[in-house]
């Protein structure tokens, strides 16, 4: 559709389509399901299962956090070298986020630039 001379445009369009269809189901569930969930607020027959579902979602998020931490801190696997810079940057980001209440977007951009600078200076 774009041809071989427009690779960047084709990649950008593909990224947009993938992003759209990745997040579209979540937004549909939220916008259509949230009013229904709100009407069940205070009803024990619905509150108890939703509490269990919330606990399961927290477990999934924690599992993903541990998985990503392992992939970042030990990029060559658990038997490989530990990436101390990534660990220090993560600890500094956690302090900035929780102690100093830094904005998330600002923190992500700053950590991205610091990581890029570190990789460019060390390679």
């Amino acid at each position: 559709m774009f041809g071989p001379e427009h690779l960047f445009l084709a990649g950008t369009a593909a990224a947009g389509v993938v992003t759209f269809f990745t997040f579209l189901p979540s937004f549909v569930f939220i916008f259509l399901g949230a009013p229904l969930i709100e009407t069940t607020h205070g009803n024990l027959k619905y509150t108890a299962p939703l509490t269990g579902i919330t606990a399961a979602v927290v477990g999934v998020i924690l599992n993903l956090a541990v998985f990503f931490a392992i992939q970042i801190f030990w990029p060559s696997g658990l038997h490989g070298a530990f990436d101390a810079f990534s660990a220090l940057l993560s600890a500094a980001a956690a302090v900035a986020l929780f102690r100093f209440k830094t904005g998330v977007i600002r923190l992500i951009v700053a950590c991205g630039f610091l990581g890029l600078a570190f990789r460019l200076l060390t390679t």
Side-chain angles (χ1 to χ4, degrees), residues 59-80:
V60 168
I61 292 170
L62 181 63
N63 183 26
L64 282 172
V66 169
F67 174 79
F68 287 136
I70 290 171
Q71 301 302 314
I72 291 170
F73 298 151
W74 290 276
S76 300
L78 288 175
H79 300 292

Side-chain angles (χ1 to χ4, degrees), residues 35 40 45 53 71 73 79 82-83 85 87-88 106 117 119:
T40 64
K45 129 175 129 171
I53 292 169
Q71 301 302 314
F73 298 151
H79 300 292
F82 179 73
D83 189 355
F85 176 76
L88 289 172
R106 182 180 298 167
R119 293 295 176 217

Side-chain angles (χ1 to χ4, degrees), residues 10-107:
T12 304
V17 169
V18 167
T19 302
F20 180 76
F21 284 106
T22 297
F23 294 108
L24 179 67
S26 299
F27 287 121
V28 168
F29 288 141
I30 289 169
F31 290 134
L32 295 180
L36 175 66
I37 298 300
E38 284 299 317
T39 60
T40 64
H41 188 70
N43 189 343
L44 187 59
K45 129 175 129 171
Y46 295 114
T47 305
L50 288 175
T51 302
I53 292 169
T54 301
V57 169
V58 169
V60 168
I61 292 170
L62 181 63
N63 183 26
L64 282 172
V66 169
F67 174 79
F68 287 136
I70 290 171
Q71 301 302 314
I72 291 170
F73 298 151
W74 290 276
S76 300
L78 288 175
H79 300 292
F82 179 73
D83 189 355
F85 176 76
S86 295
L88 289 172
L89 186 60
S90 298
V95 168
L97 186 65
F98 296 117
R99 172 72 173 98
F100 298 109
K101 307 292 188 225
T102 304
V104 175
I105 301 298
R106 182 180 298 167
L107 186 63

